[in-house]
Amino acid sequence: MSFIISGAQDTDSLLNRPLPADGGEIRLWRIALDRPSDEVAGFRAGLPDADREAVDRFARADLRRRATVTRAALRHLLGRACGVRPQDVPLRRSAYGKPFLAGPGRPSFSVSHAADLALVAVRARGALGVDVEREEPGRPGEAMARYFLSPVELAVYEGLAPGRRRGLLTRWWTRKEAYAKAVGTGLSLALTSVTLCGEDPPISIPLPGWTMCELPVPSPYIASLAVHGPVEAVFGADWSPT
């Protein structure tokens, strides 16, 4: 299944074309991580040794399954974007732990997963970040708010009626996490120093040069995308290994 978030209508063919070199087009894939055991075993067999070793560090079987599918899907998609076999995708990590593709002229990408859903976003060049979270009832709202909201955002949040706060923190968290991934510092960024959310009703506050949007994901998931530079279109599809 393909879906259009913004832009032109011919999504199916565009997903199979080379990425436009100006970086103005974003490709997004939703990846279902709950897959049959034989399919997961096949994904594992195709992973490089380093990926299998990383997966095996997880103590729980469900986490190993999700990590296996996420890594296999990421390599499949990046291999298609780079024109190389999945096992030959030159994945590296920065000093902050941000994954990237080694070599000149490689696409930019971001990956995120929560429970049984993962997202991968790719563009030809330029910073981008994606984050997905599963809304969990009973999260400690007050403590979470003070952990990552700026003073402006916290004032807006505390001024809302309790009923309007439900789900809001997760939505705002995904925006900030997507932005932190895009700038490349992850959670080492002082989240309270950046204001991305506010107003009543709560909307995104744009930073100069940045585009942010909420992504279409099934409930109870919430996801956001942050992109630096101009964006002409965002196209998406549910990932299939074939």
Side-chain angles (χ1 to χ4, degrees):
M1 173 186 177
S2 297
F3 58 93
I4 300 171
I5 300 171
S6 68
Q9 301 298 308
D10 191 12
T11 310
D12 288 326
S13 62
L14 282 169
L15 285 170
N16 294 309
R17 296 178 189 172
L19 286 161
D22 62 4
E25 183 180 304
I26 313 298
R27 309 273 175 87
L28 176 77
W29 282 267
R30 301 183 299 200
I31 303 156
L33 303 181
D34 185 11
R35 301 209 173 231
S37 298
D38 57 344
E39 189 175 27
V40 175
F43 292 155
R44 177 183 170 82
L47 292 177
D49 290 343
D51 280 19
R52 288 198 293 268
E53 290 170 3
V55 167
D56 289 343
R57 295 190 190 108
F58 290 101
R60 286 167 33 193
D62 62 327
L63 298 181
R64 293 194 296 272
R65 168 180 55 81
R66 293 167 182 169
T68 297
V69 178
T70 300
R71 287 172 179 267
L74 179 64
R75 285 188 171 275
H76 175 256
L77 293 169
L78 294 180
R80 187 165 70 175
C82 295
V84 301
R85 300 184 307 167
Q87 57 267 43
D88 295 331
V89 171
L91 283 170
R92 303 289 188 272
R93 285 190 179 273
S94 72
Y96 291 102
K98 176 182 173 67
F100 68 96
L101 290 167
R106 298 293 193 183
S108 302
F109 74 94
S110 182
V111 59
S112 179
H113 59 86
D116 279 320
L117 179 66
L119 299 178
V120 172
V122 185
R123 68 189 301 200
R125 62 183 180 90
L128 82 164
V130 67
D131 187 60
V132 61
E133 303 289 341
R134 181 182 171 94
E135 179 63 28
E136 302 289 352
R139 278 187 171 174
E142 188 69 22
M144 185 178 178
R146 294 189 178 279
Y147 171 70
F148 79 94
L149 294 182
S150 72
V152 171
E153 293 165 336
L154 186 60
V156 172
Y157 175 77
E158 291 179 338
L160 296 174
R164 295 194 59 200
R165 296 180 185 180
R166 296 190 187 98
L168 184 63
L169 282 183
T170 304
R171 192 163 267 106
W172 284 6
W173 171 266
T174 64
R175 290 179 190 166
K176 287 213 168 179
E177 177 72 353
Y179 173 74
K181 288 181 175 181
V183 299
T185 56
L187 294 182
S188 66
L189 174 71
L191 296 178
T192 56
S193 69
V194 181
T195 298
L196 301 179
C197 316
E199 301 298 326
D200 190 10
I203 60 172
S204 175
I205 296 178
L207 293 178
W210 287 87
T211 298
M212 299 189 187
C213 66
E214 192 166 315
L215 299 173
V217 290
S219 179
Y221 295 95
I222 297 171
S224 293
L225 174 72
V227 181
H228 187 256
V231 177
E232 297 174 5
V234 181
F235 300 96
D238 292 307
W239 177 73
S240 170
T242 56

